[in-house]
Amino acid sequence: MIRKLNRKDHHVVFSFLKQEPSLNLFIIGDIEAFGYEQEFQELWGDFDEDGALRAVLLRFYDSYIPYAPGEFDIEGFAQIMRNTAHPVRLSGKTDLVAAFEPLLPLGKKRVTYFCECNEITFPEVESRYEIKQATINDVDRIIALRSRIAEFSVLPSSRDMLVKSLETNTGRTYYIEEDGRMVSSVSTTAENTLSAMVVGVCTDPNDRQKGYASEIMKRVIQDYIRSGKTLCLFYDNPSAGRIYKRLGFSDIGMWTMYG
């Protein structure tokens, strides 16, 4: 049976999602930040015959994330998404969301590795660079740095999203500057009581091969691990993957995004 979830379900839902807290980082973060009764956010639960929760579906604006560790009512969740007036943007564990491909009109598919870090594995020595944590006043400089990098897609909404993450403490940005110019930065997003997602790892094309991003990543790892939180990230570049693994990240699955 599928029904809408509400705050009375929170204990059951949270215990269910904590089976795989890193993979459920976005769902957990959105519940903690916005709850169950928002116009832009809805959650549904699929319950078995004994009343036990076996799957959850989150809608955040026009984005959907399902989670289920086993069998569930795939057609029921697909019908919910078919009822939306907008094109469906679906993401989740690769083997799980693949089951929706024959049931929904989905956009461009991107598959990435999903990895996590929950311990400090490198020698903790003082960085040779001064690493600063950004404030709202640094937002335009962060966006300008990202705009100088060909691999980045800086959307019109990027600035607003960055401001919102800093204002709500659901994300942080760390950076290095040389002669007053921001040369490298690393951001986090979807921060919740258990974890956070690393995003926006970037270095100005004219300042690469100096170890800036790796030094910032070490600081990010130290800050989050010391506060008892797991760090997660996506990557699809094997070279980047090797760098992250040297810093203590390990693969925990594959993640697919459609849209």
Side-chain angles (χ1 to χ4, degrees), residues 18-77:
K18 284 176 69 175
Q19 295 178 90
E20 296 184 275
S22 293
L23 287 167
N24 288 317
L25 175 150
F26 296 112
I27 303 179
I28 291 170
D30 286 341
I31 291 174
E32 288 185 350
F34 306 112
Y36 296 85
E37 283 119 30
Q38 297 284 350
E39 183 179 338
F40 58 83
Q41 177 165 296
E42 297 175 282
L43 288 111
W44 293 265
D46 179 25
F47 296 82
D48 66 19
E49 294 177 355
D50 297 320
L53 183 62
R54 63 180 183 177
V56 168
L57 177 66
L58 166 77
R59 178 185 73 83
F60 184 76
Y61 291 97
D62 60 347
S63 296
Y64 291 83
I65 302 177
Y67 171 68
E71 293 184 359
F72 68 102
D73 185 356
I74 299 172
E75 173 56 35
F77 277 0

CSV table of all heavy atoms in Angstrom, one decimal, residues 18-77:
chain,number,residue,atom,x,y,z
A,18,LYS,N,18.1,5.2,7.5
A,18,LYS,CA,19.4,5.0,8.1
A,18,LYS,C,20.1,3.7,7.9
A,18,LYS,O,21.2,3.4,8.2
A,18,LYS,CB,19.4,5.3,9.6
A,18,LYS,CG,19.3,6.8,10.0
A,18,LYS,CD,19.1,7.0,11.4
A,18,LYS,CE,20.3,6.7,12.2
A,18,LYS,NZ,20.1,7.1,13.7
A,19,GLN,N,19.3,2.8,7.2
A,19,GLN,CA,19.9,1.5,6.8
A,19,GLN,C,21.1,1.8,5.8
A,19,GLN,O,22.1,1.1,5.9
A,19,GLN,CB,18.9,0.7,6.0
A,19,GLN,CG,17.7,0.2,6.9
A,19,GLN,CD,16.8,-0.6,6.0
A,19,GLN,OE1,16.9,-1.9,5.9
A,19,GLN,NE2,15.8,0.0,5.5
A,20,GLU,N,21.0,2.8,5.0
A,20,GLU,CA,22.0,3.2,4.1
A,20,GLU,C,22.1,4.7,4.1
A,20,GLU,O,21.6,5.4,3.1
A,20,GLU,CB,21.8,2.7,2.6
A,20,GLU,CG,21.8,1.2,2.5
A,20,GLU,CD,21.6,0.7,1.1
A,20,GLU,OE1,20.5,0.5,0.7
A,20,GLU,OE2,22.7,0.4,0.5
A,21,PRO,N,22.6,5.3,5.1
A,21,PRO,CA,22.5,6.8,5.3
A,21,PRO,C,23.2,7.6,4.2
A,21,PRO,O,22.7,8.7,3.9
A,21,PRO,CB,23.2,7.0,6.7
A,21,PRO,CG,24.0,5.8,6.9
A,21,PRO,CD,23.3,4.7,6.2
A,22,SER,N,24.3,7.1,3.7
A,22,SER,CA,25.0,7.9,2.7
A,22,SER,C,24.2,7.9,1.4
A,22,SER,O,24.0,9.0,0.8
A,22,SER,CB,26.4,7.3,2.4
A,22,SER,OG,27.2,7.5,3.5
A,23,LEU,N,23.7,6.8,1.0
A,23,LEU,CA,22.9,6.7,-0.3
A,23,LEU,C,21.6,7.5,-0.1
A,23,LEU,O,21.0,7.9,-1.1
A,23,LEU,CB,22.6,5.3,-0.6
A,23,LEU,CG,23.8,4.5,-1.2
A,23,LEU,CD1,23.5,3.0,-1.3
A,23,LEU,CD2,24.2,5.0,-2.6
A,24,ASN,N,21.1,7.7,1.1
A,24,ASN,CA,19.9,8.4,1.4
A,24,ASN,C,20.2,9.9,1.8
A,24,ASN,O,19.3,10.5,2.4
A,24,ASN,CB,19.0,7.7,2.4
A,24,ASN,CG,18.4,6.4,1.8
A,24,ASN,OD1,17.9,6.4,0.7
A,24,ASN,ND2,18.5,5.4,2.6
A,25,LEU,N,21.4,10.3,1.6
A,25,LEU,CA,21.8,11.7,2.0
A,25,LEU,C,20.8,12.8,1.6
A,25,LEU,O,20.4,13.6,2.4
A,25,LEU,CB,23.2,11.9,1.4
A,25,LEU,CG,23.8,13.3,1.6
A,25,LEU,CD1,25.3,13.1,1.7
A,25,LEU,CD2,23.5,14.2,0.5
A,26,PHE,N,20.3,12.7,0.3
A,26,PHE,CA,19.5,13.8,-0.2
A,26,PHE,C,18.1,13.7,0.5
A,26,PHE,O,17.5,14.7,0.9
A,26,PHE,CB,19.3,13.7,-1.7
A,26,PHE,CG,20.6,14.0,-2.4
A,26,PHE,CD1,21.2,12.9,-3.1
A,26,PHE,CD2,21.2,15.2,-2.4
A,26,PHE,CE1,22.4,13.1,-3.8
A,26,PHE,CE2,22.4,15.4,-3.1
A,26,PHE,CZ,23.0,14.4,-3.8
A,27,ILE,N,17.6,12.5,0.6
A,27,ILE,CA,16.2,12.4,1.2
A,27,ILE,C,16.3,12.8,2.7
A,27,ILE,O,15.4,13.6,3.2
A,27,ILE,CB,15.7,10.9,1.1
A,27,ILE,CG1,15.7,10.5,-0.3
A,27,ILE,CG2,14.3,10.8,1.8
A,27,ILE,CD1,15.2,9.1,-0.5
A,28,ILE,N,17.3,12.3,3.4
A,28,ILE,CA,17.4,12.7,4.9
A,28,ILE,C,17.6,14.2,5.0
A,28,ILE,O,16.9,14.8,5.8
A,28,ILE,CB,18.6,12.0,5.5
A,28,ILE,CG1,18.3,10.5,5.6
A,28,ILE,CG2,18.9,12.5,6.9
A,28,ILE,CD1,19.5,9.6,6.0
A,29,GLY,N,18.5,14.8,4.2
A,29,GLY,CA,18.7,16.2,4.3
A,29,GLY,C,17.4,17.1,4.0
A,29,GLY,O,17.2,18.0,4.7
A,30,ASP,N,16.7,16.6,3.0
A,30,ASP,CA,15.5,17.4,2.6
A,30,ASP,C,14.4,17.2,3.7
A,30,ASP,O,13.7,18.2,4.0
A,30,ASP,CB,14.9,16.9,1.3
A,30,ASP,CG,15.8,17.5,0.1
A,30,ASP,OD1,16.5,18.4,0.3
A,30,ASP,OD2,15.7,16.9,-1.0
A,31,ILE,N,14.3,16.1,4.3
A,31,ILE,CA,13.3,15.9,5.4
A,31,ILE,C,13.7,16.8,6.6
A,31,ILE,O,12.9,17.5,7.2
A,31,ILE,CB,13.2,14.4,5.8
A,31,ILE,CG1,12.6,13.6,4.7
A,31,ILE,CG2,12.4,14.3,7.1
A,31,ILE,CD1,12.6,12.1,5.0
A,32,GLU,N,15.0,16.8,7.0
A,32,GLU,CA,15.4,17.6,8.1
A,32,GLU,C,15.3,19.1,7.8
A,32,GLU,O,14.9,19.8,8.7
A,32,GLU,CB,16.9,17.3,8.4
A,32,GLU,CG,17.1,15.9,9.0
A,32,GLU,CD,18.6,15.6,9.4
A,32,GLU,OE1,19.5,16.4,9.1
A,32,GLU,OE2,18.8,14.6,10.2
A,33,ALA,N,15.5,19.5,6.6
A,33,ALA,CA,15.4,20.9,6.3
A,33,ALA,C,14.0,21.4,6.1
A,33,ALA,O,13.7,22.5,6.5
A,33,ALA,CB,16.2,21.2,5.0
A,34,PHE,N,13.1,20.6,5.5
A,34,PHE,CA,11.8,21.1,5.1
A,34,PHE,C,10.6,20.3,5.6
A,34,PHE,O,9.5,20.7,5.4
A,34,PHE,CB,11.8,21.1,3.5
A,34,PHE,CG,12.9,21.9,2.9
A,34,PHE,CD1,13.9,21.2,2.2
A,34,PHE,CD2,13.0,23.2,3.1
A,34,PHE,CE1,14.9,21.9,1.6
A,34,PHE,CE2,14.1,24.0,2.5
A,34,PHE,CZ,15.0,23.3,1.8
A,35,GLY,N,10.9,19.1,6.2
A,35,GLY,CA,9.7,18.4,6.8
A,35,GLY,C,8.9,17.7,5.7
A,35,GLY,O,9.3,17.4,4.6
A,36,TYR,N,7.6,17.4,6.1
A,36,TYR,CA,6.7,16.6,5.2
A,36,TYR,C,5.6,17.4,4.6
A,36,TYR,O,4.9,16.9,3.8
A,36,TYR,CB,6.1,15.5,6.1
A,36,TYR,CG,7.1,14.5,6.6
A,36,TYR,CD1,7.8,14.8,7.8
A,36,TYR,CD2,7.4,13.3,5.9
A,36,TYR,CE1,8.8,13.8,8.3
A,36,TYR,CE2,8.3,12.4,6.4
A,36,TYR,CZ,9.0,12.7,7.6
A,36,TYR,OH,9.9,11.8,8.0
A,37,GLU,N,5.4,18.7,5.0
A,37,GLU,CA,4.2,19.4,4.6
A,37,GLU,C,4.6,20.7,3.9
A,37,GLU,O,4.3,21.8,4.4
A,37,GLU,CB,3.3,19.7,5.8
A,37,GLU,CG,2.5,18.5,6.2
A,37,GLU,CD,2.8,18.1,7.6
A,37,GLU,OE1,3.1,18.9,8.4
A,37,GLU,OE2,2.6,16.9,7.9
A,38,GLN,N,5.3,20.6,2.8
A,38,GLN,CA,5.7,21.7,1.9
A,38,GLN,C,5.1,21.6,0.6
A,38,GLN,O,4.9,20.5,0.1
A,38,GLN,CB,7.2,21.8,1.8
A,38,GLN,CG,7.9,22.1,3.1
A,38,GLN,CD,7.8,23.5,3.6
A,38,GLN,OE1,7.3,24.4,2.9
A,38,GLN,NE2,8.3,23.7,4.8
A,39,GLU,N,4.8,22.7,-0.1
A,39,GLU,CA,4.2,22.6,-1.4
A,39,GLU,C,5.2,22.0,-2.4
A,39,GLU,O,4.8,21.3,-3.3
A,39,GLU,CB,3.8,24.1,-1.9
A,39,GLU,CG,3.1,24.1,-3.2
A,39,GLU,CD,2.7,25.5,-3.6
A,39,GLU,OE1,2.6,26.4,-2.7
A,39,GLU,OE2,2.6,25.8,-4.8
A,40,PHE,N,6.5,22.3,-2.2
A,40,PHE,CA,7.5,21.9,-3.2
A,40,PHE,C,8.1,20.5,-2.8
A,40,PHE,O,8.9,20.0,-3.6
A,40,PHE,CB,8.6,22.9,-3.3
A,40,PHE,CG,9.3,23.2,-1.9
A,40,PHE,CD1,10.3,22.3,-1.4
A,40,PHE,CD2,8.9,24.3,-1.2
A,40,PHE,CE1,10.9,22.6,-0.2
A,40,PHE,CE2,9.5,24.5,0.0
A,40,PHE,CZ,10.5,23.7,0.5
A,41,GLN,N,7.7,19.9,-1.7
A,41,GLN,CA,8.2,18.6,-1.3
A,41,GLN,C,7.1,17.7,-0.8
A,41,GLN,O,6.3,18.1,0.0
A,41,GLN,CB,9.3,18.9,-0.2
A,41,GLN,CG,9.9,17.6,0.4
A,41,GLN,CD,11.1,17.8,1.2
A,41,GLN,OE1,12.1,18.3,0.6
A,41,GLN,NE2,11.1,17.6,2.5
A,42,GLU,N,7.2,16.5,-1.3
A,42,GLU,CA,6.3,15.4,-0.8
A,42,GLU,C,7.0,14.1,-0.6
A,42,GLU,O,8.0,13.9,-1.3
A,42,GLU,CB,5.1,15.2,-1.8
A,42,GLU,CG,4.2,16.4,-2.1
A,42,GLU,CD,3.2,16.1,-3.2
A,42,GLU,OE1,3.6,16.2,-4.4
A,42,GLU,OE2,2.1,15.8,-2.9
A,43,LEU,N,6.5,13.3,0.3
A,43,LEU,CA,7.1,11.9,0.4
A,43,LEU,C,6.0,10.9,0.5
A,43,LEU,O,4.9,11.2,1.1
A,43,LEU,CB,7.9,11.9,1.7
A,43,LEU,CG,9.2,12.6,1.7
A,43,LEU,CD1,9.2,13.8,2.6
A,43,LEU,CD2,10.4,11.7,2.0
A,44,TRP,N,6.2,9.8,-0.2
A,44,TRP,CA,5.3,8.7,-0.1
A,44,TRP,C,6.0,7.5,0.4
A,44,TRP,O,7.2,7.3,0.2
A,44,TRP,CB,4.8,8.3,-1.5
A,44,TRP,CG,3.9,9.4,-2.2
A,44,TRP,CD1,2.6,9.4,-2.2
A,44,TRP,CD2,4.4,10.5,-3.0
A,44,TRP,NE1,2.1,10.5,-2.9
A,44,TRP,CE2,3.2,11.2,-3.4
A,44,TRP,CE3,5.6,11.0,-3.3
A,44,TRP,CZ2,3.3,12.3,-4.2
A,44,TRP,CZ3,5.7,12.1,-4.1
A,44,TRP,CH2,4.6,12.8,-4.5
A,45,GLY,N,5.3,6.6,1.1
A,45,GLY,CA,5.8,5.3,1.6
A,45,GLY,C,5.1,4.2,1.0
A,45,GLY,O,3.8,4.2,0.9
A,46,ASP,N,5.8,3.1,0.7
A,46,ASP,CA,5.1,1.8,0.3
A,46,ASP,C,5.2,0.9,1.4
A,46,ASP,O,6.4,0.5,1.9
A,46,ASP,CB,5.8,1.3,-1.0
A,46,ASP,CG,5.2,0.0,-1.5
A,46,ASP,OD1,4.0,-0.3,-1.2
A,46,ASP,OD2,5.9,-0.8,-2.1
A,47,PHE,N,4.1,0.4,1.9
A,47,PHE,CA,4.1,-0.5,3.1
A,47,PHE,C,3.6,-1.9,2.7
A,47,PHE,O,2.8,-2.1,1.8
A,47,PHE,CB,3.1,0.0,4.1
A,47,PHE,CG,3.5,1.3,4.7
A,47,PHE,CD1,3.2,2.5,4.1
A,47,PHE,CD2,4.1,1.4,5.9
A,47,PHE,CE1,3.6,3.8,4.6
A,47,PHE,CE2,4.5,2.6,6.5
A,47,PHE,CZ,4.2,3.8,5.8
A,48,ASP,N,4.3,-2.9,3.3
A,48,ASP,CA,3.9,-4.3,2.9
A,48,ASP,C,2.6,-4.7,3.7
A,48,ASP,O,2.0,-3.9,4.4
A,48,ASP,CB,5.0,-5.3,3.2
A,48,ASP,CG,5.4,-5.4,4.7
A,48,ASP,OD1,4.5,-5.0,5.5
A,48,ASP,OD2,6.5,-5.9,5.0
A,49,GLU,N,2.2,-6.0,3.5
A,49,GLU,CA,0.9,-6.5,4.1
A,49,GLU,C,0.9,-6.4,5.6
A,49,GLU,O,-0.2,-6.3,6.2
A,49,GLU,CB,0.7,-7.9,3.6
A,49,GLU,CG,0.4,-8.0,2.1
A,49,GLU,CD,0.2,-9.4,1.6
A,49,GLU,OE1,0.4,-10.3,2.5
A,49,GLU,OE2,-0.1,-9.6,0.5
A,50,ASP,N,2.1,-6.4,6.2
A,50,ASP,CA,2.2,-6.4,7.6
A,50,ASP,C,2.3,-4.9,8.2
A,50,ASP,O,2.5,-4.7,9.4
A,50,ASP,CB,3.4,-7.2,8.1
A,50,ASP,CG,3.2,-8.7,7.8
A,50,ASP,OD1,2.1,-9.2,7.9
A,50,ASP,OD2,4.2,-9.3,7.4
A,51,GLY,N,2.3,-4.0,7.3
A,51,GLY,CA,2.4,-2.6,7.7
A,51,GLY,C,3.8,-2.1,7.8
A,51,GLY,O,4.0,-1.0,8.3
A,52,ALA,N,4.8,-2.8,7.4
A,52,ALA,CA,6.2,-2.4,7.5
A,52,ALA,C,6.6,-1.6,6.2
A,52,ALA,O,6.2,-1.9,5.1
A,52,ALA,CB,7.1,-3.6,7.6
A,53,LEU,N,7.3,-0.5,6.5
A,53,LEU,CA,7.7,0.3,5.4
A,53,LEU,C,8.8,-0.4,4.6
A,53,LEU,O,9.8,-0.9,5.1
A,53,LEU,CB,8.3,1.6,6.0
A,53,LEU,CG,8.8,2.7,5.0
A,53,LEU,CD1,7.6,3.2,4.1
A,53,LEU,CD2,9.5,3.9,5.7
A,54,ARG,N,8.6,-0.4,3.2
A,54,ARG,CA,9.6,-1.1,2.4
A,54,ARG,C,10.1,-0.2,1.3
A,54,ARG,O,11.1,-0.6,0.6
A,54,ARG,CB,8.9,-2.4,1.8
A,54,ARG,CG,7.8,-2.1,0.8
A,54,ARG,CD,7.2,-3.4,0.3
A,54,ARG,NE,6.1,-3.2,-0.7
A,54,ARG,CZ,5.5,-4.1,-1.3
A,54,ARG,NH1,5.9,-5.4,-1.2
A,54,ARG,NH2,4.5,-3.8,-2.2
A,55,ALA,N,9.6,1.0,1.1
A,55,ALA,CA,10.1,1.9,0.1
A,55,ALA,C,9.7,3.3,0.4
A,55,ALA,O,8.6,3.5,0.9
A,55,ALA,CB,9.7,1.5,-1.3
A,56,VAL,N,10.5,4.3,-0.1
A,56,VAL,CA,10.2,5.7,0.1
A,56,VAL,C,10.4,6.4,-1.2
A,56,VAL,O,11.3,6.1,-2.0
A,56,VAL,CB,11.0,6.4,1.2
A,56,VAL,CG1,10.9,7.9,1.1
A,56,VAL,CG2,10.6,5.9,2.6
A,57,LEU,N,9.5,7.4,-1.6
A,57,LEU,CA,9.7,8.2,-2.8
A,57,LEU,C,9.6,9.7,-2.3
A,57,LEU,O,8.7,10.1,-1.7
A,57,LEU,CB,8.6,7.9,-3.8
A,57,LEU,CG,8.7,8.8,-5.1
A,57,LEU,CD1,9.9,8.5,-5.9
A,57,LEU,CD2,7.4,8.6,-5.9
A,58,LEU,N,10.7,10.4,-2.7
A,58,LEU,CA,10.7,11.9,-2.4
A,58,LEU,C,10.5,12.7,-3.7
A,58,LEU,O,11.1,12.4,-4.7
A,58,LEU,CB,12.1,12.2,-1.8
A,58,LEU,CG,12.4,13.7,-1.8
A,58,LEU,CD1,11.7,14.4,-0.6
A,58,LEU,CD2,14.0,14.0,-1.7
A,59,ARG,N,9.6,13.7,-3.6
A,59,ARG,CA,9.6,14.7,-4.6
A,59,ARG,C,10.1,16.0,-4.1
A,59,ARG,O,9.6,16.5,-3.1
A,59,ARG,CB,8.1,14.9,-5.1
A,59,ARG,CG,8.0,16.0,-6.2
A,59,ARG,CD,6.6,16.3,-6.6
A,59,ARG,NE,5.9,17.0,-5.6
A,59,ARG,CZ,5.9,18.4,-5.4
A,59,ARG,NH1,6.7,19.1,-6.2
A,59,ARG,NH2,5.2,19.0,-4.5
A,60,PHE,N,11.1,16.6,-4.7
A,60,PHE,CA,11.6,17.9,-4.4
A,60,PHE,C,11.5,18.7,-5.6
A,60,PHE,O,12.2,18.6,-6.6
A,60,PHE,CB,13.0,17.8,-3.9
A,60,PHE,CG,13.6,19.1,-3.4
A,60,PHE,CD1,13.2,19.6,-2.2
A,60,PHE,CD2,14.5,19.8,-4.2
A,60,PHE,CE1,13.8,20.8,-1.7
A,60,PHE,CE2,15.0,21.0,-3.8
A,60,PHE,CZ,14.6,21.5,-2.5
A,61,TYR,N,10.5,19.6,-5.7
A,61,TYR,CA,10.1,20.3,-6.9
A,61,TYR,C,9.8,19.3,-8.0
A,61,TYR,O,8.9,18.5,-7.8
A,61,TYR,CB,11.2,21.3,-7.3
A,61,TYR,CG,11.3,22.5,-6.4
A,61,TYR,CD1,12.2,22.5,-5.3
A,61,TYR,CD2,10.4,23.6,-6.5
A,61,TYR,CE1,12.3,23.6,-4.4
A,61,TYR,CE2,10.5,24.7,-5.6
A,61,TYR,CZ,11.4,24.7,-4.6
A,61,TYR,OH,11.5,25.7,-3.7
A,62,ASP,N,10.6,19.3,-9.1
A,62,ASP,CA,10.3,18.3,-10.1
A,62,ASP,C,11.3,17.1,-10.1
A,62,ASP,O,11.4,16.4,-11.1
A,62,ASP,CB,10.2,18.9,-11.5
A,62,ASP,CG,11.5,19.6,-11.9
A,62,ASP,OD1,12.4,19.8,-11.0
A,62,ASP,OD2,11.7,19.9,-13.1
A,63,SER,N,12.0,17.0,-9.0
A,63,SER,CA,13.0,15.9,-8.9
A,63,SER,C,12.5,14.8,-8.0
A,63,SER,O,11.9,15.1,-6.9
A,63,SER,CB,14.3,16.5,-8.4
A,63,SER,OG,14.9,17.4,-9.3
A,64,TYR,N,12.7,13.6,-8.4
A,64,TYR,CA,12.3,12.4,-7.6
A,64,TYR,C,13.4,11.5,-7.2
A,64,TYR,O,14.3,11.3,-8.1
A,64,TYR,CB,11.2,11.6,-8.4
A,64,TYR,CG,9.9,12.3,-8.6
A,64,TYR,CD1,9.7,13.3,-9.6
A,64,TYR,CD2,8.8,12.1,-7.7
A,64,TYR,CE1,8.5,13.9,-9.8
A,64,TYR,CE2,7.6,12.8,-7.9
A,64,TYR,CZ,7.5,13.7,-9.0
A,64,TYR,OH,6.3,14.3,-9.2
A,65,ILE,N,13.4,11.0,-6.0
A,65,ILE,CA,14.4,10.0,-5.6
A,65,ILE,C,13.7,8.9,-4.8
A,65,ILE,O,13.1,9.2,-3.8
A,65,ILE,CB,15.5,10.6,-4.6
A,65,ILE,CG1,16.2,11.8,-5.3
A,65,ILE,CG2,16.5,9.5,-4.2
A,65,ILE,CD1,17.2,12.5,-4.3
A,66,PRO,N,13.7,7.7,-5.4
A,66,PRO,CA,13.2,6.6,-4.7
A,66,PRO,C,14.2,5.8,-3.9
A,66,PRO,O,15.4,5.9,-4.2
A,66,PRO,CB,12.7,5.7,-5.8
A,66,PRO,CG,13.6,5.9,-6.9
A,66,PRO,CD,14.1,7.3,-6.7
A,67,TYR,N,13.8,5.1,-2.8
A,67,TYR,CA,14.8,4.3,-2.1
A,67,TYR,C,14.0,3.0,-1.6
A,67,TYR,O,12.9,3.1,-1.1
A,67,TYR,CB,15.4,5.0,-0.9
A,67,TYR,CG,16.2,4.0,0.0
A,67,TYR,CD1,17.3,3.4,-0.5
A,67,TYR,CD2,15.7,3.5,1.2
A,67,TYR,CE1,18.0,2.5,0.2
A,67,TYR,CE2,16.4,2.6,2.0
A,67,TYR,CZ,17.6,2.1,1.5
A,67,TYR,OH,18.2,1.1,2.2
A,68,ALA,N,14.6,1.9,-1.9
A,68,ALA,CA,14.1,0.6,-1.4
A,68,ALA,C,15.2,-0.4,-1.4
A,68,ALA,O,15.9,-0.6,-2.4
A,68,ALA,CB,13.0,0.1,-2.4
A,69,PRO,N,15.4,-1.1,-0.3
A,69,PRO,CA,16.4,-2.1,-0.2
A,69,PRO,C,16.0,-3.4,-0.8
A,69,PRO,O,16.8,-4.3,-1.0
A,69,PRO,CB,16.7,-2.2,1.3
A,69,PRO,CG,15.4,-1.8,1.9
A,69,PRO,CD,14.8,-0.8,1.0
A,70,GLY,N,14.7,-3.6,-1.1
A,70,GLY,CA,14.2,-4.9,-1.7
A,70,GLY,C,13.0,-4.6,-2.6
A,70,GLY,O,12.9,-3.6,-3.2
A,71,GLU,N,12.1,-5.6,-2.7
A,71,GLU,CA,11.0,-5.5,-3.6
A,71,GLU,C,10.0,-4.4,-3.1
A,71,GLU,O,9.9,-4.1,-1.9
A,71,GLU,CB,10.3,-6.8,-3.6
A,71,GLU,CG,11.1,-7.9,-4.3
A,71,GLU,CD,10.2,-9.2,-4.5
A,71,GLU,OE1,9.1,-9.2,-4.0
A,71,GLU,OE2,10.8,-10.1,-5.0
A,72,PHE,N,9.4,-3.7,-4.0
A,72,PHE,CA,8.4,-2.7,-3.7
A,72,PHE,C,7.5,-2.5,-4.9
A,72,PHE,O,7.6,-3.1,-6.0
A,72,PHE,CB,9.1,-1.4,-3.3
A,72,PHE,CG,9.8,-0.7,-4.4
A,72,PHE,CD1,9.2,0.4,-5.1
A,72,PHE,CD2,11.0,-1.1,-4.9
A,72,PHE,CE1,9.9,1.1,-6.1
A,72,PHE,CE2,11.7,-0.5,-5.9
A,72,PHE,CZ,11.1,0.6,-6.5
A,73,ASP,N,6.5,-1.6,-4.7
A,73,ASP,CA,5.5,-1.4,-5.8
A,73,ASP,C,6.0,-0.4,-6.8
A,73,ASP,O,5.8,0.8,-6.7
A,73,ASP,CB,4.2,-0.9,-5.2
A,73,ASP,CG,3.1,-0.7,-6.2
A,73,ASP,OD1,3.3,-0.9,-7.4
A,73,ASP,OD2,1.9,-0.3,-5.7
A,74,ILE,N,6.8,-0.9,-7.7
A,74,ILE,CA,7.4,0.0,-8.7
A,74,ILE,C,6.4,0.7,-9.6
A,74,ILE,O,6.5,1.9,-9.8
A,74,ILE,CB,8.4,-0.8,-9.7
A,74,ILE,CG1,9.5,-1.4,-8.9
A,74,ILE,CG2,8.9,0.1,-10.8
A,74,ILE,CD1,10.3,-2.4,-9.6
A,75,GLU,N,5.4,0.0,-10.0
A,75,GLU,CA,4.3,0.6,-10.8
A,75,GLU,C,3.6,1.7,-10.1
A,75,GLU,O,3.2,2.8,-10.6
A,75,GLU,CB,3.3,-0.4,-11.3
A,75,GLU,CG,2.1,0.1,-12.0
A,75,GLU,CD,2.4,1.0,-13.2
A,75,GLU,OE1,3.4,0.7,-13.9
A,75,GLU,OE2,1.7,2.0,-13.5
A,76,GLY,N,3.4,1.5,-8.8
A,76,GLY,CA,2.7,2.5,-8.0
A,76,GLY,C,3.5,3.8,-7.9
A,76,GLY,O,2.9,4.9,-8.0
A,77,PHE,N,4.8,3.7,-7.7
A,77,PHE,CA,5.6,4.9,-7.7
A,77,PHE,C,5.7,5.6,-9.1
A,77,PHE,O,5.7,6.8,-9.2
A,77,PHE,CB,7.1,4.6,-7.2
A,77,PHE,CG,7.2,4.5,-5.7
A,77,PHE,CD1,6.2,4.7,-4.8
A,77,PHE,CD2,8.5,4.2,-5.1
A,77,PHE,CE1,6.3,4.7,-3.5
A,77,PHE,CE2,8.6,4.2,-3.7
A,77,PHE,CZ,7.6,4.4,-2.9
